[in-house]
């Protein structure tokens, strides 16, 4: 009888991450865009190579995790490896400028009252 997938997954994830369970750096969140800075090299870990191929154009961390079918936490560990060696660039989304933020709620209420009075 062959082992169940559930029994193999923890062992596989342990191997993929080299036993690491978390990253010390908060360089990535779910929407951080990752761009590869080169092609995979011979002998590179297969997950690292897949990330480099996937990220030839910008791809969010959550999309990478979905493509690799790995937990986001595991993907972040792999991305840290690639970032530390300069093989990827991480681009965090820019916050919206102050002038594009939502208007003051009190002003919206006044506009609503004005429209209701029409």
């Amino acid at each position: 009888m062959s082992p169940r997938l559930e029994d193999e997954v923890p062992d596989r994830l342990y191997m993929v991450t080299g036993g690491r369970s978390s990253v010390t750096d908060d360089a990535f969140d779910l929407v951080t865009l990752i761009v590869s800075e080169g092609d995979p090299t011979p002998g590179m870990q297969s997950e690292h190579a897949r990330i480099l191929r996937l990220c030839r154009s910008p791809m969010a961390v959550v999309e990478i995790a979905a493509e690799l079918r790995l937990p986001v936490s595991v993907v972040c560990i792999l991305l840290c490896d690639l970032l530390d060696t300069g093989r990827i660039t991480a681009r965090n989304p820019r916050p919206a400028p102050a002038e594009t933020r939502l208007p003051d709620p009190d002003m919206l209420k006044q506009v609503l009252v004005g429209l209701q009075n029409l």
Side-chain angles (χ1 to χ4, degrees):
M1 178 180 232
S2 65
R4 297 180 319 171
L5 179 61
E6 298 85 24
D7 296 335
E8 293 177 11
V9 170
D11 293 338
R12 177 174 176 258
L13 296 180
Y14 182 85
M15 295 295 291
V16 166
T17 63
R20 295 167 290 165
S21 61
S22 65
V23 293
T24 57
D25 189 358
D26 291 334
F28 309 107
D29 60 22
L30 294 177
V31 295
T32 300
L33 294 177
I34 306 299
V35 180
S36 61
E37 295 296 329
D39 293 322
T41 56
M44 178 180 277
Q45 183 176 336
S46 63
E47 290 81 8
H48 287 143
R50 272 195 76 199
I51 290 171
L52 291 179
R53 284 191 294 275
L54 283 171
C55 296
R56 288 186 176 131
S57 58
M59 183 175 267
V61 171
V62 70
E63 293 174 300
I64 297 167
E67 285 290 327
L68 296 178
R69 295 183 179 183
L70 291 172
V72 171
S73 58
V74 170
V75 170
C76 286
I77 293 169
L78 297 171
L79 291 173
C80 280
D81 295 342
L82 294 170
L83 186 64
D84 289 346
T85 59
R87 293 183 180 274
I88 61 167
T89 302
R91 300 178 188 166
N92 290 316
R94 295 182 193 139
E99 61 271 6
T100 61
R101 292 198 178 132
L102 293 175
D104 180 48
D106 291 330
M107 186 173 87
L108 289 175
K109 288 177 189 175
Q110 291 173 3
V111 169
L112 182 59
V113 168
L115 289 172
Q116 289 172 339
N117 290 335
L118 289 176

